Amino acid sequence: MRKKLIVYLFYRRTVRLLLVTAVSIFLLVRCMSDTAVADNAAPSFSDFAGSDKCMSCHQAVYDAHIKSAHYLTAKPAEEKWIHGSFEKGKNTYAYSELIRLFMERRDSGLFQVVHYKGEEKKAMRFDMVIGSGAKGQSFVTFRGDRFYQLPITFFTAANLWSNSPGYPAGKVVIDKPITARCLECHVTYAEGIGDNKMEPVSFNRQNIIYGVDCEKCHGPAAKHVTYQTENPTDTAAKFIVNTASLSRQQQLDLCALCHGGRIDKVTASFSYTAGDLLSDHFKIDTLNDEAVNNGNIDVHGNQYGLMRASKCFRMSSTMTCNTCHSPHENERGRKELFSQKCISCHAVTDSKFNSPSHKNVQMITNNCIDCHMPAQPSKAITVFLEGEEVPRASLVRSHFIGIYPEETKRTAVHKKTMY
Ligand code: HEC
Ligand code: HEC
Ligand code: HEC
Ligand code: HEC
Ligand code: HEC
Ligand code: HEC
Ligand code: HEC
């Protein structure tokens, strides 16, 4: 019965390629091992405390953090975290007339169920949700200690289930592994199993710290919790990374770990911890200005590369991601707040603001963003909606802060000012 199911094993070649790359990196690292500087071993699960342990002493930070996209970016698969609908009529995606997939609640959990010619062929459990849902959510299923991406993703812009990003149209892909790198950007810690420390393919599903949690940015903190609990009168912090006191590059690197696009590891997965330099753990060759100027950097996932190429960054000595973003708050959509950050460096009383585009100063001070950091379609996150042959792209805010004449013409502010 099962054999009848048409499953297309599209990823074989990619896997082989990854293997070859992994082996060459392994050899390279062995050659360099004499000169290795960073702590190449990943911390262990017991080095972490988990954010619920921080609550009692850092209540305000904790309360804000649990509403952030970082905290919510990976969760065990419960219906309350999943934005797509399991209601009849809204819980399906048709690949073709013959192949259809259903999202179903069952006694043992939530499932993606493949039907071929109206007959159930395979049911795959939702085990982990990836994505807070700002743009979309992908899902992970566990098979033993291996993790796979489920074929169907939720696409927020259309409020619909869709084929997962990058998957071929009309085909059910069920064997795309979730890589260690994928987890490194969406969870704080996952414990790999086996000898391949750089790219483990198996994980201990009990020992995962979901989401981008406190300890991703402040370092593993079990010792800090123990010490401060046992020494309640000591008001100085011990065994914790004070992120604000790091150098500019260390601060940038902490964000670039996940917002620096495709960079290749040279040390064990999860061995980078807050305060390290990225260049001690990664081969960094994709973050050059040339790539940005040629449009080779995708707006998705490479805010660091784009920001670094902008004049604002190059001509100021202080700008980091935290100049505009508060690390613990959910500030999505608050254009006025972000525009205040621009104004902190660009006085609107400056003679430059006499230019035609800036004529309506009152209005522009509420929104510098749509003209200078327009939302642009990602080339990396595109999905096929049911029955559509052209993939839809997610829009991501460009961090190449610059002058965009075309975008300017489209904004409401401009129309009000010019006509
Ligand atoms: C028993 C109380 C207690 C617990 C639990 C606790 N902390 Fe702290 N933490 C403190 C004290 C005291 C300080 C020093 C005063 C301050 O900065 O608030 C501190 C400071 C910090 C700082 C600032 C570091 C600095 O140098 O200023 C960070 C970051 C931090 N804690 C993170 C965490 C994280 C993450 C957790 C949970 C894994 C946690 N703390 C759990 C008591 C605690
Ligand atoms: C371990 C990986 C990781 C690190 C480290 C990290 N981020 Fe993120 N960040 C993510 C992921 C993943 C998302 C997408 C969350 C989602 O919507 O699911 C995200 C989302 C964001 C967003 C969008 C928030 C929203 O409301 O949609 C901002 C802003 C951001 N990160 C800034 C930062 C800054 C600043 C730093 C450094 C202090 C940082 N990030 C460090 C992984 C990371
Ligand atoms: C290099 C780090 C990195 C890797 C690797 C990575 N992501 Fe992401 N992902 C991000 C960041 C950063 C964002 C949000 C910001 C953006 O879109 O630029 C994001 C956004 C997402 C979103 C949309 C979240 C939302 O709420 O809108 C999904 C879903 C997602 N990633 C799934 C995955 C899956 C599945 C994998 C692995 C197969 C993966 N990502 C690999 C960094 C990464
Ligand atoms: C995305 C990275 C990130 C995450 C996640 C994060 N922090 Fe922070 N945290 C920072 C940065 C960056 C600063 C320094 C901000 C500044 O420059 O003033 C900071 C500052 C702090 C401080 C000292 C200043 C203050 O605001 O009181 C404490 C305490 C703290 N964080 C605790 C936590 C706790 C507890 C959590 C989880 C509930 C957490 N952080 C999650 C990045 C993060
Ligand atoms: C840390 C200070 C700082 C911040 C914050 C900042 N900028 Fe800049 N920006 C600069 C400097 C310095 C320059 C180069 C000198 C100049 O043109 O004024 C610049 C240049 C620019 C330019 C000219 C770009 C070009 O390619 O010619 C634009 C447009 C701009 N900024 C817009 C913004 C906007 C919009 C924001 C907020 C989202 C912002 N800036 C935030 C410092 C900053
Ligand atoms: C000059 C101000 C500024 C700086 C510096 C800055 N950002 Fe942003 N960022 C913004 C604005 C404005 C938005 C759009 C916010 C919105 O619409 O909710 C944004 C949005 C984001 C998003 C969500 C993108 C999307 O479309 O979903 C991520 C992720 C992000 N920033 C990460 C970073 C990282 C990482 C850095 C440092 C490398 C950084 N930002 C530096 C202003 C800034
Ligand atoms: C309606 C679109 C629009 C808005 C809103 C807008 N700008 Fe601009 N900005 C432009 C354009 C277009 C230019 C290029 C010069 C021109 O045509 O006026 C520009 C130029 C600039 C420059 C470079 C000036 C120079 O001569 O080097 C800076 C800096 C700048 N803007 C900052 C801002 C800041 C800060 C805000 C928010 C307070 C803002 N802009 C709001 C469209 C806009």
Side-chain angles (χ1 to χ4, degrees), residues 67-74 129-137 181-189 211-213 216-217 243 250-259 270 272 300 303 320-327 329-333 338 399:
K67 298 192 193 92
S68 70
H70 277 148
Y71 176 73
L72 295 170
T73 199
V129 183
I130 297 191
S132 69
K135 305 277 180 333
Q137 296 182 308
R181 186 71 184 120
C182 175
L183 294 173
E184 264 183 321
C185 291
H186 286 276
V187 308
T188 296
Y189 183 73
V212 182
D213 211 349
K216 195 81 222 182
C217 299
T243 318
Q250 283 170 313
Q251 291 191 25
L252 289 165
D253 280 4
L254 173 58
C255 311
L257 171 68
C258 310
H259 294 282
F270 292 100
Y272 172 94
H300 162 64
Q303 287 80 20
T320 65
C321 308
N322 302 327
T323 306
C324 299
H325 294 289
S326 308
E329 306 287 327
N330 185 335
E331 301 172 320
R332 178 165 281 278
F338 286 111
H399 279 63

Side-chain angles (χ1 to χ4, degrees), residues 216-251:
K216 195 81 222 182
C217 299
H218 296 294
K223 267 191 180 165
H224 170 70
V225 170
T226 307
Y227 176 84
Q228 308 295 159
T229 307
E230 286 171 358
N231 301 279
T233 52
D234 192 348
T235 51
K238 299 253 162 45
F239 306 114
I240 192 81
V241 177
N242 180 342
T243 318
S245 68
L246 299 175
S247 72
R248 186 188 191 193
Q249 193 57 50
Q250 283 170 313
Q251 291 191 25

Side-chain angles (χ1 to χ4, degrees), residues 163-316:
N163 201 355
S164 289
Y167 281 29
K171 287 163 187 172
V172 188
V173 177
I174 64 165
D175 63 342
K176 188 182 174 208
I178 289 286
T179 58
R181 186 71 184 120
C182 175
L183 294 173
E184 264 183 321
C185 291
H186 286 276
V187 308
T188 296
Y189 183 73
E191 185 181 85
I193 299 175
D195 294 334
N196 188 348
K197 300 292 179 212
M198 194 119 75
E199 275 303 334
V201 292
S202 305
F203 303 92
N204 183 339
R205 52 210 255 190
Q206 311 309 330
N207 292 353
I208 297 173
I209 307 223
Y210 285 89
V212 182
D213 211 349
C214 319
E215 291 163 282
K216 195 81 222 182
C217 299
H218 296 294
K223 267 191 180 165
H224 170 70
V225 170
T226 307
Y227 176 84
Q228 308 295 159
T229 307
E230 286 171 358
N231 301 279
T233 52
D234 192 348
T235 51
K238 299 253 162 45
F239 306 114
I240 192 81
V241 177
N242 180 342
T243 318
S245 68
L246 299 175
S247 72
R248 186 188 191 193
Q249 193 57 50
Q250 283 170 313
Q251 291 191 25
L252 289 165
D253 280 4
L254 173 58
C255 311
L257 171 68
C258 310
H259 294 282
R262 269 213 54 207
I263 47 177
D264 294 322
K265 265 180 271 188
V266 294
T267 61
S269 274
F270 292 100
S271 59
Y272 172 94
T273 52
D276 287 357
L277 284 174
L278 216 48
S279 54
D280 288 338
H281 296 271
F282 290 84
K283 198 159 68 113
I284 301 177
D285 53 6
T286 50
L287 295 178
N288 60 61
D289 298 350
E290 202 183 320
V292 176
N293 295 331
N294 293 332
N296 287 337
I297 290 193
D298 197 72
V299 279
H300 162 64
N302 201 349
Q303 287 80 20
Y304 176 60
L306 292 165
M307 176 187 78
R308 230 183 47 149
S310 329
K311 241 188 187 171
C312 302
F313 182 83
R314 287 192 279 122
M315 296 183 64
S316 74

Side-chain angles (χ1 to χ4, degrees), residues 311-312 315 319 341-342 345-346 352 368 372-373 401:
K311 241 188 187 171
C312 302
M315 296 183 64
M319 183 181 270
K341 313 279 181 174
C342 314
C345 290
H346 297 286
K352 286 174 192 165
C368 315
H372 290 297
M373 297 181 68
I401 309 167

